[in-house]
Amino acid sequence: AQKITQTQPGMFVQEKEAVTLDCTYDTSDQSYGLFWYKQPSSGEMIFLIYQGSYDEQNATEGRYSLNFQKARKSANLVISASQLGDSAMYFCAMREARGAGGTSYGKLTFGQGTILTVHP
Amino acid sequence: DVKVTQSSRYLVKRTGEKVFLECVQDMDHENMFWYRQDPGLGLRLIYFSYDVKMKEKGDIPEGYSVSREKKERFSLILESASTNQTSMYLCASSLVGTGGEAFFGQGTRLTVV
């Protein structure tokens, strides 16, 4: 079963507008972490934002915020005031304390990604 | 400056060859990961290691093995390369636990002909 689901293969947004990228996750762990990464056309993976499962406040980093709804198991990324340089692939990821065998610690799995295109 | 270094940026190998992809990190991280990235499929976890000589299968381990003899180095081995293993391979490392971000290498574009 897919642990991380990103249902939007592609999204378009006008420059200076806000955009929300969707992410849902599946875990039975109580302790886990949620991440968003950006991958521009150059291929590098850039860490954007982190949300811990016990954090009560939604995480924010500059123009990025994470809309964390624990009961719905969703962790959507909101980018405010989009810029042309925001055009990239965006990945949602989850770190679980324990894997299927119960022996792992910090396993990191990713979703399928969403390609964001910002129009001028 | 933290670094994860993959030994090759581009690699072309023949079907049936044994292929080694090397990854080295200089951050004293316990966790290291190997992913493959294919269009529409995102990053899929092949194997990860949470300590020296400790490993766990990811979602797509078939056709791959790994080796971690030293903390800083994590190798991905394609025992007998096949054309369906043509892909971008990404290595990452992180501290143990659920809170630490992962740092990525630059990726290796492997083509099996």
Side-chain angles (χ1 to χ4, degrees):
Chain A
Q2 191 74 24
K3 289 274 192 175
I4 297 282
T5 303
Q6 295 179 252
T7 57
Q8 305 154 314
M11 288 285 285
F12 296 88
V13 66
Q14 207 71 27
E15 194 178 8
K16 298 179 186 175
E17 291 187 351
V19 63
T20 298
L21 306 184
D22 294 342
C23 173
T24 57
Y25 60 92
D26 182 30
T27 182
S28 56
D29 277 5
Q30 295 301 308
S31 175
Y32 53 90
L34 297 159
F35 300 80
W36 278 91
Y37 284 82
K38 172 184 178 182
Q39 187 182 47
S41 57
S42 59
E44 63 186 305
M45 292 287 284
I46 301 167
F47 164 71
L48 295 178
I49 195 165
Y50 160 78
Q51 179 87 39
S53 59
Y54 293 115
D55 294 342
E56 295 185 353
Q57 303 269 9
N58 284 344
T60 59
E61 287 287 347
R63 294 186 298 110
Y64 304 108
S65 60
L66 200 153
N67 185 359
F68 181 45
Q69 297 188 44
K70 194 170 183 176
R72 298 179 63 182
K73 293 189 175 178
S74 76
N76 298 340
L77 177 71
V78 181
I79 304 174
S80 63
S82 297
Q83 301 172 356
L84 296 178
D86 293 335
S87 292
M89 176 75 86
Y90 288 80
F91 290 104
C92 180
M94 176 173 64
R95 294 197 68 176
E96 297 173 279
R98 288 175 298 165
T103 58
S104 67
Y105 196 53
K107 182 179 181 180
L108 177 64
T109 52
F110 284 80
Q112 308 93 316
T114 296
I115 299 175
L116 176 67
T117 303
V118 181
H119 289 303
Chain B
D1 201 15
V2 296
K3 266 202 175 149
V4 179
T5 304
Q6 295 182 229
S7 52
S8 304
R9 194 71 195 264
Y10 299 95
L11 216 49
V12 180
K13 295 292 182 180
R14 295 197 179 276
T15 302
E17 274 193 80
K18 190 168 186 175
V19 181
F20 292 85
L21 302 183
E22 306 285 346
C23 177
V24 177
Q25 52 98 358
D26 65 359
M27 294 165 281
D28 201 34
H29 284 166
E30 295 89 356
N31 286 359
M32 294 189 76
F33 308 85
W34 273 107
Y35 298 90
R36 63 176 284 176
Q37 182 176 6
D38 301 287
L41 298 177
L43 273 70
R44 292 181 293 168
L45 182 64
I46 305 172
Y47 267 98
F48 86 102
S49 170
Y50 48 94
D51 203 348
V52 175
K53 297 188 189 287
M54 305 303 288
K55 62 187 179 185
E56 183 165 314
K57 291 180 181 178
D59 299 317
I60 52 164
E62 297 78 19
Y64 303 94
S65 63
V66 290
S67 172
R68 193 162 180 206
E69 296 296 319
K70 292 185 177 181
K71 192 175 186 180
E72 67 270 18
R73 186 179 297 269
F74 192 35
S75 303
L76 179 69
I77 304 155
L78 286 66
E79 297 291 342
S80 177
S82 64
T83 54
N84 63 14
Q85 291 178 310
T86 291
S87 187
M88 172 66 82
Y89 290 86
L90 290 168
C91 174
S93 74
S94 75
L95 292 170
V96 72
T98 59
E101 70 180 273
F103 295 85
F104 283 81
Q106 76 277 30
T108 296
R109 170 71 65 184
L110 173 67
T111 303
V112 183
V113 297

